[in-house]
Amino acid sequence: MIRDTSAQDAAIDPAPAQRRRRRLVLGGVAAVALGVAAVSPALTRWSAADLSVDGSQLRYATVTRGRFVSDVAVQGQVVAAVSPTLYAATAGTVSTSVNAGDKVSKGQPLASIDSPELLSEFERERSTLLSLQAAFERQRIQTRAENAGNQQTVDLALVTLKAAERELERYRNAFQQGLVSRQEHDRREDQLAEAQVRYEHAVQNAKMQAEKLSFELRTSELDVERQRGVVANFERRVDELTVRSPVDGMVGSIAVQQRAAVTPNQPLLTVVDLSVFEIELAVPESYADDLALDMPAEITYGNSKFPGRLTSISPEVRNSQVVGRVRFAGDAPADLRQNQRVSVRIVLEEKPDALIVDRGAFFESGGGRVAYRVDDGVAHRTPIATGASSIAKVEVTQGLVEGDQIVISSLEPFGRAETVLIRN
């Protein structure tokens, strides 16, 4: 008979094993509960979000309050403040006496124009002036002579009048004494009346002749003055045949060849005044309304910064830009050269207490009207209003408060979603 193992078996109490299983089940349930409690906020945010983006691709900034300076930074080109271009005053053949790059002083001859036609006209007009001057002098002598003759006629008429008065007085006395007849007395009265008329007419004629001669002399004098103006104009034009430097500086460029034929108002050469430099810059059209003359500017040349002032603004827009000029407020750098490139920062506005945030791509992509405010890992689309802007900062006027954190990188990944979950 085969024996089994019943003699070796021992009875085991099942209670401890049941207790261990119970503890394992309870631990698993607790772990599941804790896991659900831990992920429930994330699940809530996930369910409320319209979109999710990777947070590592975003940049953030906090809205703060402080001093805000609105400015614009552009690249400028150094140009001479005074760089006149000299033109040909008349047609002729030009001969230059300088080369590009030569230093010149004010009044120094730079070129000359040979114009035989102008010189011939000048001589002809000068001869006409001499002829008119001689005619004027002759007219003046003739006027004095005729005035003297007329005055002599007046004087003789006056003498005749005085003689007739004395004669009449004698005959009147004689008539009263009965020595002469009334006929003789009346004849002397008629002679006195005739002398009186002759004298008055002589005086009137002398006055009219004097006025006539004065008018003719004045006309001759005006002819001389007119011709003198013509000659003076020709003298100026002849003097302009010698082209002189208007400033101390350097010959910038020569636009004509030696012994070339030129026409009136044709550019000949340019002179650059090296003592005063300005910065010519092109500002984007969006800043045109904010620009004003005498605005402060900061010019960066090398590692140094120099103060400046906005001195001119073009009244027209070209290629979506407005051209302006900035002049150094103090001494310019000694080694500054024309056409060098420098950086210019123009201060448009300054506010001591403003709500500001770092400038980023959100300002352009959102048009300054939309921002995404970040709260507990979720970005909320928020309508905003912005004021002035600078290179690094943007003024916020509505929609945000101090301490808000917003996304300042491009808003293109957000589309037009109202709520966006930011994944870490």
Side-chain angles (χ1 to χ4, degrees), residues 336-362:
L336 204 62
R337 295 291 180 270
Q338 191 168 356
N339 297 326
Q340 280 185 319
R341 304 292 294 182
V342 296
S343 298
V344 180
R345 172 176 165 265
I346 302 176
V347 179
L348 303 177
E349 188 178 5
E350 186 172 349
K351 298 180 179 180
D353 185 26
L355 204 63
I356 56 177
V357 69
D358 292 345
R359 181 167 182 165
F362 87 98

Side-chain angles (χ1 to χ4, degrees), residues 138-149:
R138 184 170 55 253
Q139 181 69 30
R140 185 161 56 181
I141 294 172
Q142 183 178 355
T143 299
R144 289 204 304 266
E146 292 190 13
N147 284 333

Side-chain angles (χ1 to χ4, degrees), residues 96-105 108 110 245 248-255 268-274 337-338:
T96 58
S97 56
V98 292
N99 298 315
D102 290 351
K103 289 187 176 181
V104 295
S105 57
Q108 176 181 340
L110 307 179
S245 174
D248 295 331
M250 180 180 68
V251 178
S253 61
I254 298 179
L268 300 179
L269 47 85
T270 301
V271 181
V272 179
D273 184 359
L274 301 177
R337 295 291 180 270
Q338 191 168 356

Side-chain angles (χ1 to χ4, degrees), residues 19 55-56 71 85 90 92 94 97 111 119 128 142 179 192 266 271 276 282 284 320-321 323 355 381 392 401 416 418:
R19 287 194 296 271
S56 62
D71 55 9
T85 299
T90 188
V94 64
S97 56
L119 294 176
T128 303
Q142 183 178 355
L179 300 177
L192 175 61
Q266 180 177 341
V271 181
V276 181
S320 300
Q321 292 179 325
V323 178
L355 204 63
R381 180 184 175 91
V401 297
R416 299 183 61 84
E418 294 294 330

Side-chain angles (χ1 to χ4, degrees), residues 191-211:
Q191 290 177 355
L192 175 61
E194 182 181 355
Q196 182 69 36
V197 171
R198 290 182 182 275
Y199 172 73
E200 291 177 355
H201 280 223
V203 171
Q204 293 178 0
N205 184 63
K207 288 182 179 179
M208 288 188 295
Q209 289 295 323
E211 292 177 0

Side-chain angles (χ1 to χ4, degrees), residues 149-200:
N150 293 330
Q151 185 62 39
Q152 182 182 9
T153 303
V154 172
D155 294 339
L156 292 175
L158 180 60
V159 170
T160 303
L161 176 62
K162 295 296 183 181
E165 289 176 350
R166 289 192 299 270
E167 185 73 12
L168 177 61
E169 184 64 23
R170 286 194 299 268
Y171 269 84
R172 182 179 291 119
N173 293 332
F175 175 73
Q176 291 175 354
Q177 296 175 7
L179 300 177
V180 294
S181 65
R182 174 171 291 276
Q183 184 178 5
E184 292 295 333
H185 176 268
D186 292 342
R187 186 181 298 114
R188 296 303 182 271
E189 284 186 347
D190 294 340
Q191 290 177 355
L192 175 61
E194 182 181 355
Q196 182 69 36
V197 171
R198 290 182 182 275
Y199 172 73
E200 291 177 355

